[in-house]
Amino acid sequence: NLVGKVTQELEFSDEIKLRVANEVLPTVRDFIIAAERRAGESIADDYRVKVSVTGGWYVRQYEHEYNPVHVHVGCNLSCVGYLSLPDGIDHEFATDEQDHYPCKGMLNFVYGTDSKFCTNQIMVKPRVGDFYLFPADLWHCVYPFSSIGERRSFSMNFMAGRDWS
């Protein structure tokens, strides 16, 4: 059911899902609390955040493969983390920056309408160890690259929110 034009998208085993969840769930909870505070919502002392993992997978991507623009369904938060990049990708990034629209191998988040005074997208150069948490309904894509080798990332989807029980 995934949209990627990639070699492999491998679902996490239950063991891997639990191990990764234990690492990222504190960050997800902090993100939710910070977002609600930013929105001016009152946070009570007994405030609790409930987060459940609805899916997790690895993406093994090679030269010329990509993920077209998409959103994630069945969840309200998603993440991507980078585990490896192909040798030569830094040279490719540097060469592509000479172009009028550098995007090779980049993650692109898109929201709203571009205008004279603001942009509607953020282009992210992946780095091993980087981790991005974002609303599941935020449009995003991954552009193809030409470097020989594997770019491996992981993604997870979450249902997250208040638990007043």
Side-chain angles (χ1 to χ4, degrees):
N1 295 330
L2 302 174
V3 300
K5 306 297 184 188
V6 298
T7 297
Q8 288 183 322
E9 292 177 319
L10 306 166
E11 189 173 354
F12 282 177
S13 67
D14 289 340
E15 177 188 348
I16 295 295
K17 195 182 302 182
L18 181 61
R19 288 179 70 191
V20 175
N22 285 336
E23 291 293 323
V24 302
L25 288 182
T27 301
V28 174
R29 286 186 184 97
D30 290 347
F31 178 83
I32 294 164
I33 292 167
E36 291 191 345
R37 285 190 177 134
R38 186 179 149 274
E41 295 184 20
S42 170
I43 309 293
D45 288 337
D46 63 345
Y47 179 80
R48 287 175 277 180
V49 174
K50 183 176 182 177
V51 181
S52 60
V53 176
T54 62
W57 62 97
Y58 298 104
V59 177
R60 298 186 70 196
Q61 183 179 356
Y62 295 90
E63 60 274 10
H64 312 298
E65 297 180 342
Y66 63 96
N67 255 316
V69 67
H70 64 284
V71 297
H72 294 204
V73 297
C75 57
N76 59 7
L77 285 174
S78 295
C79 73
V80 62
Y82 291 96
L83 304 172
S84 66
L85 295 169
D87 292 335
I89 195 76
D90 285 328
H91 176 70
E92 186 170 352
F93 288 151
T95 303
D96 197 38
E97 286 176 4
Q98 314 283 324
D99 189 69
H100 71 284
Y101 191 82
C103 64
K104 287 185 176 182
M106 293 195 201
L107 169 64
N108 191 17
F109 294 107
V110 182
Y111 181 79
T113 304
D114 201 21
S115 75
K116 178 178 177 179
F117 299 110
C118 69
T119 184
N120 69 331
Q121 54 187 310
I122 296 173
M123 200 79 72
V124 176
K125 222 182 266 186
R127 294 285 178 218
V128 172
D130 284 357
F131 173 80
Y132 297 94
L133 182 62
F134 55 94
D137 58 357
L138 180 62
W139 289 99
H140 59 287
C141 67
V142 178
Y143 287 100
F145 57 89
S146 313
S147 300
I148 304 300
E150 177 184 359
R151 175 165 102 175
R152 185 175 298 178
S153 61
F154 75 91
S155 290
M156 291 185 84
N157 289 336
F158 310 97
M159 281 304 293
R162 300 172 185 218
D163 178 17
W164 295 104
S165 56

